[in-house]
């Protein structure tokens, strides 16, 4: 019997190893605006990310919604790192098939980097080897508008027996440019001086939306004090509870400068002076503290997220990789998808920050659907573990991020050249909270750099937003923008906040900056405060926010009903009563939300 079983095992192993004919795995049309240039050098290195199937992801998703649904008995009972990994681990057959395929190219365990759940395998190989493995040819592609360059192919193939064991391989067909969402930075001469006394002066203007009074200076310069006044958080004192935490992601060689942070604290949050944040580098991420190298994006995110949430423990992640890639004699590695590296690292942390804000993204159509789904699934893993993920919704209204919103063409990349609104990713992922932008007091949807919003073409509308979005669509005049958006898609943003004229310190001087890259970290700061309130009430962290926000959380938002998000040569969608694809559910009213999340759930 043992001999028989041994022969069966050997035969099975041999069957897996038998080469099979190549079959196309993915093929796309050359994206609009990209031109094929030269062939890369054969020894140019590519870090291939190989995604193996997650056969039990549907069970993970089910448990994510159970622990995030305030009506479910499991609400707040978040999963452990190990429990999540068990749910997304690939079948042993897939691991074996991929390992044997890689071994055929001389790649062994020492050459592989695996994600915590082993559902991703990362290998770094010369482009010549990648071409043999994928039966393809890479080229250097140039973006005609910006001059950015990428090493990419428009199709790749795999042995047919591997198709059931590999979901996606990148970088292959991904032409995303991974942008930070920020708008104009004003000159220092244009900024009125703000002192601590002025910033905390007694408010003098009533805001009917939130029912609170706000200093009139907040219409021209946004400070921490303005946000706390406007969003009804004045007087709330957080604690440095080690169970709580907040994190900011940094990319594109964006450095959060500590000297600038101290100047910001001295001006706007003097009780935070001499406090700082934990710095975590990922894949060689740097921490350049040269004042002139301070990053506007990083400084904005850190100063307001940590300023609003002080003294909650804070972390800044610096992930290496500066997309898009420019091939030259110095840079020999193609490292243009750093958020994959970031999410792998954070999933490997035993205790990741409980609230994390990211102010970067791509046009959804530039991220191949299979890859977008896998990245989105990684966010679901973090949500199941009790992490609240917030992403900026983008700054180009319903249009793409490649041109002036007033002149956008908004053409699809599917070869049909169809005119269509262009959603943003990762904001379109249903497992994250997308944050749009407002301006002025009383608040309206921003009209100068357009709050990103719309409907995903990849992800269907999740159940948690069915009622709110269906109501919006029902009230939309019949035929409005027919064919320009997918009414059945995941709708975003979910919430919003002020996103214009934030006063930060940058390279030793104060400047004003705006964008949904301002509203996302600001909202993250308030979410961290809500977690503080829940811990004080002996409750768990909020985790994935959206199922709560669209139900019991509704009374905790100021409904924004004016403004629109122009783009693609249109005025875009309008802000209106209830949820809308410009400002979502509205802007937060902290003390109302605090009452909701610390009491037995009831519709207030």
């Amino acid at each position: 019997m043992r001999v028989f079983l041994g022969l069966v095992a050997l035969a099975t192993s041999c069957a897996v190893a038998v080469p099979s004919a190549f079959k196309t795995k993915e093929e796309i049309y050359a994206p609009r605006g990209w031109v094929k240039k030269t062939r890369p050098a054969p020894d140019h290195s590519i870090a291939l990310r190989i995604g193996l199937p997650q056969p039990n992801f549907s069970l993970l998703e089910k448990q994510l919604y159970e622990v995030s649904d305030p009506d479910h008995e499991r609400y707040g009972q978040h999963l452990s790192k190990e429990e999540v990994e068990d749910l997304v681990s690939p079948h042993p057959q897939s691991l074996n098939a991929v390992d044997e395929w890689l071994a055929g190219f001389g790649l062994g365990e020492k050459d592989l980097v695996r994600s915590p759940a082993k559902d991703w395998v990362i290998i770094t190989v010369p482009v010549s080897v990648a071409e043999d493995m994928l039966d393809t040819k890479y080229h250097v592609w140039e973006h005609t508008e910006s001059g950015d360059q990428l090493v990419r192919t428009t199709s790749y193939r795999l042995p047919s027996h591997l198709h059931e064991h590999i979901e996606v391989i990148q970088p292959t067909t991904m032409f995303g440019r991974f942008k930070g969402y920020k708008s104009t930075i004003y000159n220092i001469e244009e900024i009125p001086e703000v002192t601590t006394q002025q910033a905390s002066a007694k408010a003098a203007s009533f805001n009917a939306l939130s029912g609170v009074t706000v200093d009139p200076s907040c219409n021209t310069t946004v400070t921490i004090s303005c946000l706390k006044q406007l969003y009804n958080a004045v007087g709330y004192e957080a604690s440095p509870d080690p169970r709580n935490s907040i994190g900011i992601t940094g990319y594109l060689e964006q450095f959060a400068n500590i000297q600038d942070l101290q100047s910001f604290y001295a001006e706007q949050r003097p009780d935070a002076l001499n406090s700082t944040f934990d710095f975590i580098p990922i894949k060689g991420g740097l921490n350049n503290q040269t004042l002139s190298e301070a990053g506007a994006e990083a400084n904005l995110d850190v100063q307001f997220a940590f300023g609003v949430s002080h003294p909650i423990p804070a972390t800044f992640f610096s992930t290496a990789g500066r997309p898009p890639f420019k091939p030259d004699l110095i840079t020999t590695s193609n490292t243009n998808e750093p958020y994959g590296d970031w999410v792998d690292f954070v999933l490997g942390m035993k205790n990741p920050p409980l609230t994390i804000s990211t102010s970067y993204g791509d046009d959804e159509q530039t991220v191949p659907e299979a890859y977008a789904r896998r990245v989105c699934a990684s966010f679901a893993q973090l949500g199941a573990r009790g992490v609240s993920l917030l992403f900026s919704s983008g700054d180009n209204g319903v249009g793409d991020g490649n041109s002036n919103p007033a002149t956008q063409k908004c053409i699809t990349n599917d070869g049909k050249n169809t005119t269509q609104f262009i959603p943003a990713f990762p904001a379109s992922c249903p497992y994250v909270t997308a944050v749009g932008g407002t301006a002025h007091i009383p608040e309206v949807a921003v009209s100068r750099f357009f709050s990103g919003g719309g409907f995903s073409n990849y992800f269907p509308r999740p159940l948690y937003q069915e009622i709110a979005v269906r109501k919006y669509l029902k009230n939309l005049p019949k035929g409005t923008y027919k064919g320009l958006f997918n009414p059945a898609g995941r709708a975003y943003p979910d919430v919003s906040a002020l996103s214009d004229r934030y006063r930060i310190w940058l390279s030793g001087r104060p400047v004003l900056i705006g964008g949904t890259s301002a509203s996302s970290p600001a909202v993250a700061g308030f979410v961290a405060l809500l977690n503080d309130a829940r811990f004080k009430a002996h409750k768990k962290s909020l985790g994935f926010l959206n199922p709560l926000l669209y139900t019991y959380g509704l009374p905790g938002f100021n409904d924004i009903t004016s403004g629109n998000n122009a783009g693609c040569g249109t005025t875009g969608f309008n802000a209106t009563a209830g949820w809308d694809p410009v400002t979502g559910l509205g802007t937060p009213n902290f003390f109302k939300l605090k009452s909701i999340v610390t009491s037995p759930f009831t519709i207030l």
Side-chain angles (χ1 to χ4, degrees):
M1 178 63 74
R2 289 181 180 176
V3 172
F4 174 74
L5 291 175
L7 290 173
V8 170
L10 179 61
T12 302
S13 174
C14 291
V16 171
V18 171
S20 55
F22 277 92
K23 178 182 175 183
T24 298
K25 182 65 176 176
E26 189 170 17
E27 185 172 15
I28 66 168
Y29 289 90
R32 181 181 62 86
W34 289 91
V35 177
K36 185 190 293 184
K37 306 295 281 188
T38 62
R39 294 264 289 143
D43 60 351
H44 167 70
S45 294
I46 290 183
L48 291 177
R49 297 177 59 85
I50 303 168
L52 281 63
Q54 301 169 324
N56 294 318
F57 179 76
S58 60
L59 183 56
L60 171 77
E61 183 183 47
K62 176 177 180 291
Q63 296 197 41
L64 166 67
Y65 282 120
E66 287 177 353
V67 301
S68 306
D69 179 358
D71 281 327
H72 200 280
E73 62 182 1
R74 291 189 61 196
Y75 180 70
Q77 298 176 25
H78 302 120
L79 280 63
S80 69
K81 174 179 180 291
E82 293 73 20
E83 288 171 331
V84 167
E85 290 171 3
D86 285 344
L87 288 170
V88 298
S89 293
H91 281 311
Q93 296 95 318
S94 295
L95 288 168
N96 292 338
V98 172
D99 286 353
E100 290 179 6
W101 173 58
L102 295 176
F105 293 90
L107 299 167
E109 191 63 32
K110 62 179 175 53
D111 304 304
L112 314 182
V113 177
R114 300 187 190 272
S115 64
K118 298 184 178 180
D119 53 334
W120 287 101
V121 177
I122 300 96
I123 57 169
T124 301
V125 295
V127 69
S128 57
V129 174
E131 290 179 336
D132 288 343
M133 295 173 67
L134 305 179
D135 192 29
T136 190
K137 296 294 182 185
Y138 279 88
H139 287 83
V140 175
W141 291 76
E142 183 171 278
H143 189 250
T144 54
E145 183 176 311
S146 65
D148 293 336
Q149 294 182 329
L150 296 173
V151 176
R152 289 294 184 269
T153 181
T154 55
S155 68
Y156 67 96
R157 289 151 51 89
L158 291 171
S160 58
H161 77 277
L162 286 177
H163 279 237
E164 64 178 307
H165 301 297
I166 294 177
E167 281 191 343
V168 62
I169 299 179
Q170 291 293 346
T172 49
T173 58
M174 181 173 174
F175 283 77
R177 295 171 56 223
F178 197 62
K179 304 168 288 294
Y181 291 140
K182 63 179 183 294
S183 93
T184 308
I185 301 175
Y186 300 89
N187 294 326
I188 184 171
E189 291 79 13
E190 299 177 7
I191 303 176
E193 183 178 358
V194 173
T195 67
T196 301
Q197 289 74 23
Q198 289 173 319
S200 60
K202 185 177 180 180
S205 177
F206 182 72
N207 179 40
L209 287 175
S210 60
V212 298
T213 51
V214 184
D215 191 298
S217 66
C218 298
N219 257 312
T220 56
T221 303
V222 176
T223 63
I224 292 174
S225 178
C226 291
L227 294 176
K228 290 199 168 185
Q229 291 174 44
L230 182 61
Y231 299 136
N232 194 21
V234 175
Y236 183 81
E237 297 293 336
S239 63
D241 190 334
R243 293 174 298 173
N244 200 3
S245 49
I246 183 171
I248 290 294
T249 59
Y251 300 102
L252 311 186
E253 297 172 9
Q254 282 275 330
F255 308 117
N257 187 270
I258 294 174
Q259 183 176 332
D260 280 337
L261 179 64
Q262 296 306 315
S263 297
F264 176 82
Y265 281 162
E267 179 183 84
Q268 295 194 33
R269 190 79 202 240
D271 62 318
L273 265 173
N274 300 319
S275 68
T276 186
F277 51 83
D278 289 335
F279 171 81
I280 297 181
I282 299 174
K283 288 294 183 73
L286 302 177
N287 186 22
N288 188 339
Q289 288 298 308
T290 304
L291 196 59
S292 62
E293 296 295 319
E297 185 73 68
N299 274 11
L300 166 64
D301 294 355
V302 161
Q303 289 171 21
F304 272 90
F306 301 165
V308 167
S309 62
H310 178 78
I312 293 170
T315 297
F316 178 74
F317 297 97
S318 176
T319 304
R322 181 181 244 294
F325 169 75
K326 283 187 177 294
D328 56 38
L329 295 177
I330 300 174
T331 305
T332 60
S333 182
N334 192 357
T335 55
N336 69 301
E337 294 163 316
Y339 57 76
D341 293 333
W342 176 82
V343 76
D344 283 350
F345 180 90
V346 175
L347 284 170
M349 297 178 71
K350 187 70 175 178
N351 296 298
L354 293 178
T355 305
I356 302 176
S357 174
T358 300
S359 296
Y360 299 80
D362 288 315
D363 296 339
E364 186 183 69
Q365 69 173 356
T366 66
V367 184
E369 184 172 353
Y371 187 64
R373 290 187 179 279
R374 283 303 299 265
V375 172
C376 188
S378 295
F379 299 148
Q381 295 178 51
L382 285 170
R385 290 174 58 183
V387 176
S388 301
L389 292 173
L390 295 93
F391 280 83
S392 300
S393 71
D395 294 342
N396 293 284
V398 294
D400 60 48
N402 295 328
S403 57
N404 187 320
T407 59
Q408 288 168 338
K409 300 300 182 183
C410 301
I411 304 298
T412 60
N413 277 343
D414 57 4
K416 300 177 182 179
N417 293 326
T418 305
T419 299
Q420 194 174 77
F421 293 162
I422 307 297
F425 180 82
S428 64
C429 171
Y431 310 125
V432 307
T433 300
V435 184
T438 65
H440 309 306
I441 300 169
E443 291 175 274
V444 298
V446 288
S447 59
R448 185 165 56 78
F449 50 82
F450 315 109
S451 176
F455 299 80
S456 172
N457 290 317
Y458 289 172
F459 303 101
R461 181 160 64 247
L463 185 61
Y464 62 74
Q465 63 174 189
E466 181 67 27
I467 294 175
V469 176
R470 193 192 317 141
K471 179 181 178 182
Y472 173 82
L473 293 172
K474 182 180 179 180
N475 293 329
L476 195 65
K478 189 175 182 179
T480 302
Y481 300 141
K482 184 177 181 180
L484 292 182
F485 72 98
N486 172 25
R490 185 281 204 256
Y492 75 99
D494 301 296
V495 299
S496 55
L498 280 178
S499 57
D500 197 10
R501 306 184 71 83
Y502 276 55
R503 182 183 174 92
I504 69 168
W505 280 76
L506 177 65
S507 299
R509 64 177 190 167
V511 298
L512 297 182
I513 185 172
T516 53
S517 60
S519 52
S520 183
V523 172
F526 288 109
V527 172
L529 294 182
L530 291 174
N531 275 337
D532 178 78
R534 280 183 61 83
F535 284 130
K536 288 175 179 174
H538 309 290
K539 297 178 180 292
K540 304 283 189 177
S541 67
L542 288 167
F544 176 41
L545 297 168
N546 295 2
L548 168 66
L549 301 184
Y550 282 86
T551 53
Y552 296 101
L554 287 173
F557 289 91
N558 312 311
D559 195 5
I560 310 301
T561 59
S562 298
N564 61 286
N565 58 352
C568 302
T570 74
T571 57
F573 296 107
N574 290 324
T576 187
W579 179 91
D580 56 68
V582 190
T583 61
L585 300 173
T587 60
N589 185 313
F590 175 78
F591 272 108
K592 283 188 178 181
L593 287 170
K594 173 182 174 293
S595 176
I596 292 169
V597 303
T598 57
S599 306
F601 288 113
T602 55
I603 298 295
L604 299 180

